[in-house]
Amino acid sequence: MAPAPDGASALALGIDLGGTKIAAGVVDASGRILGRGHRLTQPQEGWEAVVDRMVAAGEEALAQAGVTAEALAGVGIGSPGPVNPETGVVVEAANLFFKNVPLAEAVAARFDRPTYLDHDARVAALGEYRFGAGQGATHLVFVTVSTGIGAGIIVKGRPHQGAHFAAGELGHTVVMPNGPRCTCGLNGCLEAVASGTAIAKLAREAMARGEAPILAQLAGHDPERVDARLVAEGVRRGDPACRQVLDQATFYLGLALAGVINLIDCDRIVLGGGVAKMGELLFEPVRRTVAASVVATGRQVPIVPAALGSDAGILGAASLALAPLTPGS
Amino acid sequence: MAPAPDGASALALGIDLGGTKIAAGVVDASGRILGRGHRLTQPQEGWEAVVDRMVAAGEEALAQAGVTAEALAGVGIGSPGPVNPETGVVVEAANLFFKNVPLAEAVAARFDRPTYLDHDARVAALGEYRFGAGQGATHLVFVTVSTGIGAGIIVKGRPHQGAHFAAGELGHTVVMPNGPRCTCGLNGCLEAVASGTAIAKLAREAMARGEAPILAQLAGHDPERVDARLVAEGVRRGDPACRQVLDQATFYLGLALAGVINLIDCDRIVLGGGVAKMGELLFEPVRRTVAASVVATGRQVPIVPAALGSDAGILGAASLALAPLTPGS
């Protein structure tokens, strides 16, 4: 199912399937999104209905781009997982109530085009690799720091899937064996220390102990208003507890990234997700910790912000169906 | 430089270049070593003289196998590094006084056969993958726990090199930010907690504090006699400090391996090196920690002892020059 060699093959439909929203886009070989479509996921209605809405979002994008499905080299899908890219099956996606759903086949039947599926974290990494902040890297790790922490690894243009298609679970690296409890049941996972959820929770606890006076003021003493963005604001205004929480988060995130560099020797790390929007407040201490913790080989591994925002999902999904950047790569 | 298609091509010469010794072997496609050769490395005499001794060891192996170089599909070399497998150059090997040595080219000129070079840790991993405890795995991580700790990663039959050919530095993952000083200058690297050197050093310190009475007896109160093997014996005989040192080493080794599994999703881990010879004293607690620390996906990742001992270097080096197991893999 190699993409057709004619000019029309330089278009692909990318579908980013999320727990609440579906975003679709018609993408050309240079990464322009020529048309977009959206639907709510409504997973409680069953997977066949979700496929209907994926197709509807795709048709909306095709209509906006002024093309028909025949013009597509193929369709790419990014889905929560684990997924099996070889069979096109979503093995399990708890937030979608999916279990062994033959998603690629179902979508292929509707557009009658070659259809590819991969895990959303790897798909977003592929988008940044091909069209965003990862361009030019040979070994890219894209780390999303959001409510959770996950990574997508791209080696020479291809997503590293892993033996069980489960690679990239960076968030559950234990960095503080006696640290805060993680949602996974362990203590001290990176996610329990450095995710947006964790940063907010740890700051909220400090506030409850009366240790975060400036944050308390910013939040109007309402714990529910404390999120990672507000903690960052607290740091800027000199709140000691916010500073301590963020120092801890960036230190352990930096240590974990240094471990990634030591182990797989990537040449770029892209950080995305809501927490990465803190900018230098996050990047500066993370870069400092990484520089101090990587095996000295003279290499410099740039750690840069994601460039595509939420479009990484559409662009990466489309990349699955576009011809590879370099023939045979 | 594809191996010749005839029967004779099913032989390769593997050369394992170490800081003190060179071992060579003529290897067939089933992993039998048909002839062996040995030399001392004597790196202080310069790299050209080292090449002479590598060639002499190789010729010894050929003579013992009763074949000439013409019978070889090629020659493979495992070297300390970093090395660049694409150019065949040893970029730097401090213990050999090598800097930018065109080792593959120099050896190729002498045997007149296609010659391949890779880093010794990856070469040993390839040996275990093809002929040893890694057979049948698709994503193998081979971890050597010896004076240092290093890893070789094999993905679908190919060594994962990394962007700077520096992948596998698992020993310098920081696992205890305030832990013991590592030779690399950082604190709390895995190597500073769980290598043979570290285990001996930490036990020696406990002995000096009077906390290791049984170990002191075993060592005849001579700190110089304390090595990882003796610490293991101390554990077996109930020494509390030896127990504490080994518990700490196996806990952090287990955490680090769980991190490897979470990140790259391998389906087998092989442990080799002197410390792994402790057997169940090491494997049982490591497996327990890994099982408790890996993201739950239902997968079981076997953690098994290396099978090839020091022959992994010869067999892996030869593998570089043997035809791939599966065509196109």
Side-chain angles (χ1 to χ4, degrees), chain A residues 203-230:
Chain A
R204 218 176 276 130
E205 288 168 4
M207 193 169 101
R209 293 192 302 269
E211 294 165 13
I214 298 170
L215 179 66
Q217 221 171 11
L218 286 168
H221 298 271
D222 178 1
E224 303 236 328
R225 287 174 56 192
V226 174
D227 59 13
R229 196 200 52 77
L230 204 67

Side-chain angles (χ1 to χ4, degrees), chain B residues 245-262:
Chain B
V245 166
L246 192 66
D247 279 354
Q248 176 175 280
T250 54
F251 176 72
Y252 284 106
L253 181 57
L255 272 196
L257 297 182
V260 169
I261 294 170
N262 285 337

Side-chain angles (χ1 to χ4, degrees), chain A residues 42-134:
Chain A
Q42 298 178 274
Q44 68 287 353
E45 293 180 12
W47 73 267
E48 292 92 344
V50 170
V51 168
D52 286 343
R53 281 186 285 277
M54 292 170 70
V55 170
E59 283 171 347
E60 192 173 301
L62 286 165
Q64 199 183 95
V67 296
T68 61
E70 287 78 51
L72 299 172
V75 179
I77 305 166
S79 165
V83 310
N84 183 334
E86 290 169 11
T87 59
V89 168
V90 179
V91 179
E92 187 160 11
N95 58 345
L96 297 174
F97 314 112
F98 277 20
K99 190 135 196 168
N100 293 317
V101 169
L103 194 62
E105 191 181 292
V107 170
R110 303 288 287 275
F111 288 111
D112 195 23
R113 306 307 297 155
T115 300
Y116 308 88
L117 171 74
D118 207 336
H119 186 260
D120 50 12
R122 289 194 286 274
V123 161
L126 196 59
E128 290 285 348
Y129 167 80
R130 183 148 181 171
F131 298 120

